Amino acid sequence: MTTLDLTGLATRPSQVWDAVRLVPLVRDEPVNDLRLHPQLYDDAVGLVEVDPRHAYVSYIPHGFVATWTGDGTPAAAYGTQLSADGNSPPRATMSLRFHRRMARRQAKDRLRFLPMHLALEGYLALHFGGPSLAWEEWSQRAIRQGLSPRVEEAYVGAEVRGLADALRVFEIHPNQCGVMVYVADALAAAFAVPHPDDYRALHPTLLQDLYGELIHHYATLMAPVQDFRARIADTHIRSLAHLRTAVAEQERAWGHFHDTTMAGGLLDHAYTWQSVYQMGGFTLSRFLPEFRPKQDSHIGEAITDGRGRIAYLKTFRLSESQVRRGHLLSRLAANDWHIADTAADLGIHEAQLGLRLESAGFGFLLRQDVLDRYRKQKRTRSR
């Protein structure tokens, strides 16, 4: 378990558009021996092969390519369509694009990976196999199939109100290599790349990224946020040198406030890291939080150098319901999927845990008679 270290990335004053706040991240020294550029996939629906036996379908608008020192395209029909001879091709189709693994080497010094899908696959695969022991409470489906299928919803950035205008209007700072995206001052995503040229090329892809349910709701329902404006008392300003010093002090104060308060939900927490690919002196990894209910929780992926400094970063904020699902699965796994032991660990009754599993969407894991018994126990206690 280790925290995120953004050493080398400095915070600049935020820019506000309605409920969206963008906080630029700049590097004094770019990472010159690692570069990223986009690989666009148009509107195709992506089918990602995780391994020979597992695959998933997702919206994949683009991939990142990391570089260090009548055309045969498959398609899927929309709905049910009838033809006279049974051999005619469907009239309305959507294109499919097949991706072999989320991180795939394309050349000796080139790796293609799907941004955020490394992190999301890590969350979706959380205890995907289901119960490790076949306790009597678990259904046959849970024993045989685990959590398959596992489904989570997200919104594309273009659906987050105000984000497109903010990205279009706000200036890109010199040496900017990243951005913190806030909606209603809730951290939606952190994004960092090795070089300013990479950021300018990848800046528009923030509109194609995925954002959680909470962020979409905040953007739709919340009022515009307040801009933090620097105020310098003029009583001690006697020269331009004094003014420069005062401005620098305001920038330091803002950076400290941002890193310790606004971004605290991301930077102050510990994460479990999993290495995905070694690329020269760099490591591509993904990380998961501790899944603490009613606390900010982010999943993400990163490329770090040999000293552990972040060259690339992309995060996704989980909704409270997603955090609860992760928390329940983690506690079950920690207690060998024993219902009574897990309930005792959580300080609740066994029936309460069963009904929490049902409300979290995991009711299918329990036998129907067991679930009915839990419901009856709840009704008895409520009388």
Side-chain angles (χ1 to χ4, degrees):
M1 301 285 287
T2 182
T3 57
L4 278 172
D5 182 7
L6 297 187
T7 300
L9 287 164
T11 302
R12 289 293 178 264
S14 65
Q15 304 172 92
V16 171
W17 182 278
D18 287 338
V20 177
R21 184 190 304 276
L22 301 184
V23 178
L25 301 175
V26 301
R27 295 186 192 272
D28 290 334
E29 295 183 9
V31 181
N32 291 307
D33 48 351
L34 175 72
R35 301 299 301 274
L36 296 177
H37 68 267
Q39 181 171 316
L40 301 180
Y41 297 133
D42 301 320
D43 295 326
V45 171
L47 180 65
V48 184
E49 179 185 309
V50 179
D51 58 47
R53 297 183 60 187
H54 298 91
Y56 70 89
V57 177
S58 181
Y59 163 76
I60 303 176
H62 62 287
F64 286 168
V65 177
T67 304
W68 63 102
T69 354
D71 57 356
T73 303
Y78 281 119
T80 301
Q81 300 181 37
L82 303 177
S83 62
D85 56 8
N87 297 318
S88 302
R91 296 182 179 180
T93 65
M94 56 188 288
S95 57
L96 286 176
R97 183 176 293 273
F98 291 85
H99 303 271
R100 291 179 55 193
R101 300 186 301 273
M102 286 160 292
R104 185 184 182 192
R105 193 165 184 162
Q106 294 185 327
K108 182 179 180 180
D109 59 349
R110 186 182 297 265
L111 178 76
R112 188 272 298 149
F113 63 97
L114 307 178
M116 277 317 306
H117 286 265
L118 284 173
L120 288 170
E121 193 272 339
Y123 174 75
L124 290 172
L126 187 67
H127 309 299
F128 185 76
S132 54
L133 295 175
W135 303 106
E136 63 178 7
E137 292 87 357
W138 302 115
S139 66
Q140 286 300 309
R141 175 181 171 183
I143 301 301
R144 293 172 181 170
Q145 298 180 229
L147 274 68
S148 179
R150 182 82 186 276
V151 178
E152 294 289 344
E153 294 182 354
Y155 291 85
V156 66
E159 296 296 326
V160 178
R161 182 178 176 183
L163 182 58
D165 289 333
L167 294 173
R168 175 177 55 84
V169 171
F170 293 155
E171 65 175 318
I172 296 178
H173 285 239
N175 298 326
Q176 182 170 348
C177 291
V179 67
M180 295 277 205
V181 180
Y182 293 84
V183 176
D185 280 340
L187 180 58
F191 177 48
V193 294
H195 196 279
D197 292 345
D198 297 344
Y199 183 79
R200 289 180 178 275
L202 298 173
H203 177 80
T205 65
L206 287 164
L207 271 185
Q208 301 167 320
D209 283 340
L210 301 177
Y211 297 86
E213 174 188 28
L214 177 74
I215 300 305
H216 181 267
H217 289 348
Y218 278 2
T220 303
L221 302 175
M222 295 303 228
V225 295
Q226 179 183 358
D227 196 3
F228 296 137
R229 296 186 179 276
R231 290 178 173 83
I232 299 174
D234 60 1
T235 53
H236 301 291
I237 304 299
R238 297 290 182 268
S239 66
L240 286 177
H242 289 163
L243 183 59
R244 291 191 190 97
T245 301
V247 169
E249 179 58 35
Q250 288 291 321
E251 288 184 344
R252 283 193 295 270
W254 157 252
H256 177 75
F257 169 74
H258 172 268
D259 296 345
T260 58
T261 303
M262 295 192 67
L266 174 70
L267 302 179
D268 293 344
H269 291 187
Y271 299 90
T272 301
W273 291 71
Q274 179 187 12
S275 177
V276 175
Y277 200 92
Q278 192 70 35
M279 15 195 268
F282 297 92
T283 303
L284 175 63
S285 307
R286 63 188 175 201
F287 54 87
L288 291 172
E290 296 179 282
F291 297 111
R292 295 179 177 176
K294 299 183 180 179
Q295 293 189 18
D296 294 0
S297 290
H298 302 259
I299 60 175
E301 60 202 27
I303 297 176
T304 53
D305 64 12
R307 289 184 285 178
R309 295 177 304 178
I310 286 179
Y312 160 77
L313 174 68
K314 189 176 282 288
T315 68
F316 177 92
R317 180 173 180 146
L318 297 173
S319 68
E320 182 60 30
S321 60
Q322 290 170 328
V323 174
R324 285 198 300 269
R325 286 194 283 274
H327 178 66
L328 285 172
L329 292 176
S330 297
R331 299 323 306 155
L332 281 167
N335 290 279
D336 292 326
W337 292 78
H338 190 276
I339 289 285
D341 290 349
T342 305
D345 181 28
L346 294 172
I348 59 177
H349 296 291
E350 185 178 330
Q352 290 177 296
L353 175 57
L355 296 178
R356 283 190 186 182
L357 287 170
E358 183 185 29
S359 65
F362 297 138
F364 65 89
L365 294 176
L366 295 165
R367 290 197 346 242
Q368 187 60 50
D369 61 309
V370 172
L371 198 53
D372 292 340
R373 185 175 78 242
Y374 290 156
R375 294 193 186 107
K376 182 178 180 180
Q377 291 176 9
K378 181 185 177 182
R379 288 195 299 269
T380 302
R381 286 196 182 95
S382 62
R383 290 174 182 172

